[in-house]
Amino acid sequence: HKNIFIFMYEIKKQEGSYPLFIFDTSNGLHYYVAFHKMDLENAYFDNLYSIDFGEVNNRKRPKDQNIEQTAIKIIHNFLLDHPVALLYYICDSSDGRQYSRSRLITKWFITTQESEIDKLTVNYKNEILHYKLEFIFTKQNYQTLELENKVIDEMNGFMEIK
């Protein structure tokens, strides 16, 4: 695999109730990557974590490849340290930016192209919103087709409750 982690920012781990990583850019911006353990009443999703990332003060960033490489490294290291983790990111259509968020996750995934890590996109539509659920996981612990079916079943059950 390509070593894309040559130029990146110093990563600091914050202690707390969930893994939180922060880094400062050369432009004075402060970024975070957090992994929130989800609590679903479904044993298949016992190791489900949502990924949350962004600039702490919601400031716009100039083009900076080091931000991307640093965030990828954090996600990559998290999966290596927690191989049974199932990471997800929801790209919802509430602000019309679901496709740009999805492209970003896909670009990050393609850039690393780790042989033991896989990605699955599940499109789920209801009357109000179109969800693109992005999952990143280790191939040794999840099978793509089974994961997709479990996600759709879970979403169907969730939407019935609403």
Side-chain angles (χ1 to χ4, degrees), residues 27-117:
N27 294 311
L29 300 178
H30 310 286
Y31 278 83
Y32 67 91
V33 178
F35 300 90
H36 301 275
K37 182 104 166 60
M38 305 309 291
D39 188 19
L40 298 180
E41 294 178 6
N42 181 328
Y44 187 83
F45 295 106
D46 275 351
N47 294 295
L48 182 66
Y49 291 83
S50 69
I51 304 172
D52 188 18
F53 58 90
E55 204 283 326
V56 171
N57 300 307
N58 287 324
R59 293 178 23 210
K60 292 288 182 198
R61 65 180 167 95
K63 190 74 174 155
D64 182 346
Q65 289 294 111
N66 295 348
I67 294 169
E68 178 180 309
Q69 291 179 8
T70 305
I72 291 169
K73 183 66 172 175
I74 292 168
I75 293 168
H76 177 262
N77 286 348
F78 187 83
L79 278 174
L80 291 179
D81 292 343
H82 305 86
V84 296
L86 176 60
L87 307 180
Y88 86 98
Y89 187 76
I90 297 177
C91 303
D92 71 51
S93 59
S94 61
D95 64 359
R97 296 187 39 82
Q98 73 273 19
Y99 296 112
S100 62
R101 281 192 290 271
S102 177
R103 277 194 307 273
L104 181 65
I105 295 286
T106 299
K107 180 182 176 191
W108 287 3
F109 178 75
I110 290 170
T111 303
T112 60
Q113 207 61 101
E114 286 290 331
S115 60
E116 72 270 11
I117 297 174

